Structure formats: C-alpha cells, structure tokens
Amino acid sequence: MKSFSSMHPITQAVWFILTALCVMFSMNPIIAVVSFTGAFVLYIFRNGAKGLKTHLWFFAMWIGIVIINPLISHNGATVFLVINKQPITMESAVYGAVSGTVILSVLYLFRTFSQIMTSDRLMYLCGKLSPKLSLVMSMALRYTALFTQQTRKVQQYQKATGLYKEDNIIDTIRGGVRIFSIMLTWALEHGITTADSMTARGYGTGKRTQYAVYRFSSADTVMLILSVLFGAVTFTAQISGKMNMEFYPKLSLTEITPHGITGYISYGILVILPIVSEITENIKWKYYLSNI
C-alpha cells in the first residue's frame, strides 16, 4: 500500500473534498472533534513539531471565536453571566466552540492539502477537466512567483542607486508607486513575449496533449472506494437528520440511533484513512531498512 502523499491526485482530491464537506455542512460537536483530531494528527504526522506559530495562531483564533460569539449573540436559555445588562449564555458559548472547531479542522485540512496537492498535481486535475483552465492556472502560478522575485530585485536596485534614504512615509509611498509602475511595464512586456512565443510554437493549431506521470494503482483504487463509501454513509446519516444538534434555545443532540452511530463511525474511519496509510508505509519502509 502506498502512502497517502504519493497516491494519485484524484484519490487525494476526493478524500479532501469529502472530509471537508462532511464537517463544513455539519454543526455536530462529535463530527467537529473527530474532524479536527484527524486533521491535526495528519498535519503533525507530516510536519512534526514545525510551524509552532501556525498552531498558536490557529488556537488563538479558536479562543477568540469562543469569547466573541457569546458577546454578540445572546440567544439561549442558560444564562451564566450578565455584562452591561446583556446575557452571556452557555448555548452561545458552546456554539462558538463548535464553530471554531469546525473552522480549525478545515484550516488544518487545507494546510495539508496545500502541501500534498502541489502545483503539478493541481494542473493535472484541472487539465483533465479543462485544458484552458489548466493553462491559465499554470501561467498564474508561474507569474506570481516571477512577479514576486522581480519585485524584490527592483527594490534592491532602487536601494543600491540611493533611493529610500529618507526614512519617512512620503518617500516610502513614492518608492512604492515607482516600483509598481516598473512592475506593471515588466508584466505587460512579458505577457506580450509569452503570447508571441505560444503563437510561434503553434498553440491552438491542434489538439493539446498532456504529459502525466501519475498512474492508478491498486492502493489508489482501494483508497478511492473506501473514501466514497464512508463519505456516502456519513452524508446519508447527516441528510436523514440522525446527526443534528440544536443549540437554541437549549442544547439538544438528536437521539442516538444505529443510523447515527453508523454515520459517526464512517466519518471516523474516513478521517483516519490517510493516517493509517502513512503509518503503514513508514512501518514497511523501516522494516525494509532494517533488513539491509
């Protein structure tokens, strides 16, 4: 079995979409906690202890949501504090905690998504759907990097010629306008050059082909089938209302039924699928290394 990071882009995209959709359209605390736990563990498993500032910022945002929501929403029947004659209710605090957990889980999912789904994988996926969209995205990604690099060079040249010596806001604004004008001219010139180059190479005169190194394997097939299966079971339970939760006026979770339990278990399995894949691949790799 391959690691999740090396699987086919379609398999990876389907898992990310299903996992994110299940939690984004559900305000169920169990689903939120399961999603956050899986997304956080997957991110830590891939990145280790790196990105401490990212974790601190995310959790600070979660605390902010938990604090702010009861201050702006006073719905709920259980009042545990009154500030300036405004009730602070337990229901609003719980709603803020659940919504913050949902946002946090989605953020961690998309951080991992941005690491796994590299530009070439995104181009491959978009190329299958729309070659023109793939071309536009490829050019946009390329020129974003080039534009940033060229802007940094222009700033260094400007400083080397004696500009920015006056440390005041007027000089900074003038320098920024000057650099913007230079970069606008540079972007237009490179756009014309790229268009002429594409025309000279015969772009649009025939059917466009695409080179891809991605091949579906048995591991991709198994992962794709399991993702769609468990995602469908979870969606079915959510649509049927077996996993709903009411926050106002009082907290009330839908009665636990076998259908709801099946939905929770299915989503839990869906979330841990890439983690199991990564762990299995690491164990196999260490085993092979030990036999060398």
Side-chain angles (χ1 to χ4, degrees), residues 9-275:
I10 294 179
T11 304
Q12 297 170 337
V14 168
W15 183 86
F16 277 111
I17 292 172
L18 291 175
T19 306
L21 288 179
C22 285
V23 68
M24 288 170 62
F25 294 99
S26 173
M27 283 299 292
N28 186 297
I30 300 176
I31 292 293
V33 171
V34 170
S35 177
F36 167 73
T37 303
F40 182 76
V41 171
L42 180 61
Y43 183 84
I44 293 296
F45 187 84
R46 287 182 47 81
N47 298 275
K50 296 186 297 182
L52 180 60
K53 290 183 179 180
T54 300
H55 301 308
L56 293 177
W57 188 85
F58 282 174
F59 283 100
M61 182 183 62
W62 182 84
I63 294 174
I65 294 174
V66 174
I67 295 175
I68 292 173
N69 191 73
L71 297 178
I72 62 177
S73 175
H74 306 291
N75 298 326
T78 309
V79 179
F80 60 84
L81 184 63
V82 177
I83 300 178
N84 293 332
K85 298 182 180 180
Q86 297 294 335
I88 306 299
T89 64
M90 181 183 68
E91 288 79 9
S92 291
V94 173
Y95 185 88
V98 174
S99 60
T101 306
V102 170
I103 294 173
L104 223 61
S105 63
V106 173
L107 287 174
Y108 274 110
L109 280 174
F110 278 99
R111 285 301 296 266
T112 307
F113 177 87
S114 64
Q115 294 175 350
I116 294 179
M117 298 298 293
T118 54
S119 59
D120 56 329
R121 291 176 177 269
L122 289 175
M123 294 305 104
Y124 173 79
L125 291 176
C126 295
K128 291 294 184 180
L129 300 175
S130 173
K132 292 183 179 180
L133 177 62
S134 175
L135 175 64
V136 171
M137 289 185 62
S138 176
M139 294 178 65
L141 291 173
R142 175 175 178 267
Y143 274 104
T144 299
L146 287 177
F147 194 88
T148 303
Q149 183 180 5
Q150 187 67 16
T151 301
R152 192 177 297 112
K153 288 182 179 180
V154 172
Q155 287 177 337
Q156 293 174 353
Y157 294 154
Q158 296 283 304
K159 290 182 179 179
T161 54
L163 299 175
Y164 301 106
K165 287 186 176 180
E166 299 179 14
D167 189 13
N168 56 67
I169 188 170
I170 301 299
D171 187 57
T172 302
I173 293 175
R174 286 177 179 175
V177 172
R178 189 184 303 110
I179 291 174
F180 177 77
S181 176
I182 295 171
M183 292 308 302
L184 182 61
T185 304
W186 177 86
L188 292 173
E189 289 178 352
H190 274 257
I192 295 172
T193 303
T194 302
D196 291 340
S197 176
M198 293 172 65
T199 302
R201 297 183 183 187
Y203 177 79
T205 58
K207 185 177 180 181
R208 185 169 179 264
T209 59
Q210 183 184 36
Y211 173 73
V213 296
Y214 307 110
R215 296 291 183 270
F216 246 92
S217 64
S218 58
D220 291 302
T221 304
V222 172
M223 176 64 76
L224 186 60
I225 292 174
L226 291 177
S227 298
V228 173
L229 175 63
F230 292 118
V233 173
T234 305
F235 273 121
T236 303
Q238 288 178 332
I239 294 173
S240 65
K242 303 301 181 182
M243 302 169 66
N244 293 341
M245 179 172 182
E246 298 293 336
F247 292 89
Y248 306 113
K250 288 187 177 181
L251 299 175
S252 62
L253 185 64
T254 304
E255 182 182 356
I256 302 297
T257 63
H259 194 183
I261 295 175
T262 304
Y264 293 129
I265 295 175
S266 296
Y267 189 69
I269 297 175
L270 175 65
V271 167
I272 66 172
L273 281 176
I275 302 173

